[in-house]
Amino acid sequence: SIGFSLLCVGLASANLVLDFDIANNGIRNRAPKFFEWYAGFALLITLVWLYINVLLLLSKLQSRD
């Protein structure tokens, strides 16, 4: 269970790096105005996903006997 949580945290962290790369590419390529909202929303969702997974991992580590 802890291993799966670590895998989810790693996946969310990798997705966060990809979201920043998407935003950076959009800036560099002068993407349309709606792309700012797309990139911002993707970052928000990924940060919430990472936060929840880190909290779940910490709770599993805390309750471990």
Side-chain angles (χ1 to χ4, degrees):
S1 168
I2 293 174
F4 181 71
S5 290
L6 283 172
L7 178 71
C8 288
V9 167
L11 185 63
S13 299
N15 201 12
L16 186 65
V17 171
L18 288 175
D19 286 342
F20 276 114
D21 186 52
I22 287 171
N24 193 21
N25 285 338
I27 292 168
R28 194 176 318 128
N29 295 330
R30 299 183 187 259
K33 189 74 172 169
F34 74 90
F35 191 77
E36 293 175 6
W37 288 97
Y38 175 77
F41 188 70
L43 279 168
L44 176 71
I45 295 301
T46 304
L47 283 172
V48 169
W49 180 34
L50 181 61
Y51 181 71
I52 289 172
N53 280 320
V54 167
L55 288 178
L56 286 172
L57 177 62
L58 289 175
S59 71
K60 288 178 185 177
L61 288 174
Q62 180 72 24
S63 66
R64 189 173 56 156
D65 292 326

